[in-house]
Amino acid sequence: MKKIILTGGGTAGHVTPNIAMIPKLKEMGYDISYIGTHNGIEKQLIKEIGIPYYGISSGKFRRYFDLKNFTDPFRVLKGGEDARKVLEKVKPDIIFSKGGFVTVPVILAAHHKKIPIVIHESDMSPGLANKIALPRATKICCNFPETKALFDDKAIVTGTPIRQELFSGNADKAFKFCGFTEKKPTILIVGGSTGSVVINEAIRASLDDLLKTYNIIHICGKDKTDDAYENIAGYKQLAYVGGELPDLFKLADLVISRAGANAICELLALRKPNILIPLSLAASRGDQILNAKSFKKSGYSYVIEEEELSKDTLLSAVNEVYENRDKYIDTMNTSSEGNAIDTITSIIDSLV
């Protein structure tokens, strides 16, 4: 049997594309294992679907001063030894990496053992972990033509693997789940896997005005719900969503989201009119800003920079996007993005 190790962690965005590919890989006859951190979000998500999971030591690479910069290199070295032991035990034919700091020791160990490596780079510009890993890749999959141009013929524009269950949601189930009683257009707010204080505050400041026209589903993030906003008609706040997400997407007429590459590729695939609020340069390396600009340029998204986010700019954006929703959907329908799962698994199979 062909054996593959999937790796990726740190955020849900580094895990869900791997999960999306698992059914196809099983169908193709692959024995699948996963390497992640000892206690990251990936451990819970992968164990829930019954894939063998191996936790390794992991350190973070930072561009700024932090006392952990003195200790994390040793965690990375320990992670390399942990990864080597897993590779010797599993004996994979190939590695597929979705990124995150935990993948660096895995890639280095696999490269040393001459195991083929496929890396998926979601963003327009590679993050620090992938910058270290990419030179060791056999093939590089990416979302944007701008990214492919950074590399030689190792790079292929594939898009992001999308979980197939996202396409099979039930709007009626979502309506009942949220406890809505009045039929109105629905706005879904997704602030990333950990939520966003800035977006949450802007939504709550605008809530009275929004609820005049819309039902609101607000995924706030862990520990970011507010008891003061419970039991408001037409408003449902949730810390985190699991199996209900496809239903919520189906019900949504408009989505407000961060601009992580996986999130925006899901919105494009689902043809959901959207407002993107990318992480600011003060809180990130600017990858979400580049992603959002690319989608705005293509006509897929309306963008509000975080520094410009206010009650007024949010309400204006919501009304404009909803009024022009058919135009956004028509533009997204012209996208040439194909079936990323089939494309990437074909690349994997060609290297085994």
Side-chain angles (χ1 to χ4, degrees), residues 258-278:
R258 283 299 197 189
N262 295 320
I264 64 177
C265 286
E266 288 178 349
L267 295 177
L268 173 58
L270 293 168
R271 306 302 193 239
K272 290 295 174 180
N274 62 87
I275 298 166
L276 302 180
I277 306 169

Side-chain angles (χ1 to χ4, degrees), residues 157-337:
V157 178
T158 61
T160 288
I162 304 296
R163 295 165 288 169
Q164 294 306 293
E165 62 266 25
L166 288 182
F167 296 94
S168 57
N170 184 307
D172 290 335
K173 284 177 65 176
F175 192 86
K176 292 175 184 174
F177 172 76
C178 294
F180 296 150
T181 56
E182 189 176 350
K183 292 287 186 180
K184 294 180 181 177
T186 300
I187 300 173
L188 171 64
I189 299 101
V190 187
S193 57
T194 57
S196 165
V197 172
V198 174
I199 294 176
N200 291 350
E201 289 176 349
I203 292 297
R204 287 163 182 156
S206 310
L207 199 56
D208 288 344
D209 291 297
L210 290 172
L211 286 172
K212 293 173 184 175
T213 307
Y214 306 96
N215 285 326
I216 309 291
I217 306 168
H218 187 181
I219 305 174
C220 307
K222 185 180 178 183
D223 301 323
K224 293 185 175 70
T225 57
D226 188 332
D227 290 343
Y229 293 90
E230 286 293 329
N231 303 314
I232 295 176
Y235 176 72
K236 178 70 173 180
Q237 63 173 344
L238 301 157
Y240 177 79
V241 172
E244 301 89 2
L245 187 59
D247 299 333
L248 301 183
F249 268 129
K250 187 70 174 179
L251 180 61
D253 298 284
L254 187 159
V255 179
I256 298 171
S257 174
R258 283 299 197 189
N262 295 320
I264 64 177
C265 286
E266 288 178 349
L267 295 177
L268 173 58
L270 293 168
R271 306 302 193 239
K272 290 295 174 180
N274 62 87
I275 298 166
L276 302 180
I277 306 169
L279 273 167
S280 67
L281 275 174
S284 72
R285 63 185 179 86
D287 51 303
Q288 290 200 10
I289 294 172
L290 293 175
N291 296 344
K293 284 181 177 178
S294 178
F295 265 48
K296 180 180 179 180
K297 181 180 177 182
S298 296
Y300 304 150
S301 305
Y302 185 106
V303 177
I304 306 175
E305 300 290 348
E306 189 171 291
E307 295 82 357
E308 298 171 357
L309 180 62
S310 67
K311 175 182 175 179
D312 289 340
T313 59
L314 182 66
L315 290 172
S316 175
V318 166
N319 291 330
E320 180 173 331
V321 173
Y322 184 72
E323 287 172 10
N324 294 285
R325 61 193 181 280
D326 291 337
K327 185 179 82 171
Y328 281 98
I329 293 169
D330 289 344
T331 304
M332 287 188 277
N333 281 333
T334 66
S335 167
S336 59
E337 185 173 304

